Amino acid sequence: MTCLKPESHLPRDGGTFNAAADMQPRAPAPTPAPARNGGRVRAANQPAEGVYLPNNNFQTPAMRSPDYVQMSTAAAITLGVMPGQMHRCGCTRCLNLLLTYPEGCRANCAYCGLARHREADRDYADRNFIRVDWPAVPMAQVIDIVAGQGDATPFHRMCISMITHPNSDEDTVSVLKAWTRRIDPSSLPVSILSNPTTMTRADVKILHELGADIFTVALDAATPELFDRTRGKGVQSPHSWAKYWEILKDAREIFGRQKFGAHIIVGMGETEYEVLSLVQRIVDLGGHSHMFCFFPERGSLMDHLPATPRDQWRRVQLARYLIDYRGMRVEQMRFDEEGRVSDFGLPKNELDDVIAKGVAFRTSGCPGKFAEDISACDRPYGDSPPSNIASYPFPPNKTDIGKIRTQLGMARRPGVQ
Ligand code: SF4
């Protein structure tokens, strides 16, 4: 097994960007009645035994949180429940756990491999998500392994990712309680990637009281219009921008400064100015943004659309880092008539220095044990193929930085450092 997949969707490059008019999701097709709500899996009711690797070509077992969770291929390799290796990475530092049910996620987000419309052709536990398969593992086995590793665990953080399901709130609490009974959250902090649609302020409070460290809200879309198009009414999905902001603000009050954040996907039709204004808004509230480069996930309602051009992505990635960690403000930056960053607002030598350090181009997310601006959650190849890396899950080397400079249109002349 490997975290690498053959790729056909490579981004365009060169002064371009994914404009709103071009980024229209296709409409979801109706699902045959027997496949709805995990119908195939529930009808077969095949009991699960141990670790389930997706797409094993036998009846997908009926696995259900809190007894079972799914985890990324990278996390499963690092945990040792699945053989394999990752391109240029020894391991991942975040054990990201995903709640799982035969009925799957009841939302229909256009860019997501877990979306409801996929029940027509793929059982929930067999769906790809952020470009990789997600093996399912008994929660008790996960806890046994990590508790047994003690201080030697390779993980710097654990994350519980909720999905849109009626049991998601109470099962997140059960998973967190089971974890903290054996593993001290002050030595291995826990993040919650929430599902605001089913949550109340009281749910946020309980998770904080149980020891969760950081609470994040996956806004994903950068504007209310794109949110509605990709995760709301536009694709028969239940989410609303207002509800997501309500829970984000609850998290700010309950978890406090630097302990909440938002996920944002770049390149779904917003301008660079719009997404960076959102980044600024979150920083002004006291939080951080965790950024993903749009990649047309196989089987999703946006799988026919282009990945984010690398120059657009690099400009936003760099500007976001400056706003999140270098005290720059969006008002100090300049934008062209298409909303693209034309000036980062820093003297050239200082900007060069930030680029050379490379941290701005690493995967963004909740911090691990290396530094505040280095994410534990490195999501190897979650938003790009290894042949054209968007978020570096490791420190970019000199060659990588040279490639990044070229993508930014800031290549150095030979012999000039
Ligand atoms: S709520 Fe999350 S898991 Fe469900 S379809 Fe939307 S992005 Fe995917």
Side-chain angles (χ1 to χ4, degrees), residues 223-237:
T223 68
E225 296 76 24
L226 288 180
F227 187 101
D228 206 42
R229 179 201 266 190
T230 58
R231 332 191 54 187
K233 291 191 226 48
V235 283
Q236 298 153 33
S237 193

Side-chain angles (χ1 to χ4, degrees), residues 98 104-116 124 129 162-164 194-195 197 218 220 230-231 237-239 244:
L98 180 70
C105 183
R106 306 317 299 157
N108 222 13
C109 304
Y111 46 85
C112 180
L114 300 180
R116 188 186 70 230
Y124 185 73
F129 177 48
M162 302 171 71
I163 59 172
T164 309
S194 66
N195 171 49
T197 297
D220 291 353
T230 58
R231 332 191 54 187
S237 193
H239 302 316
Y244 270 58

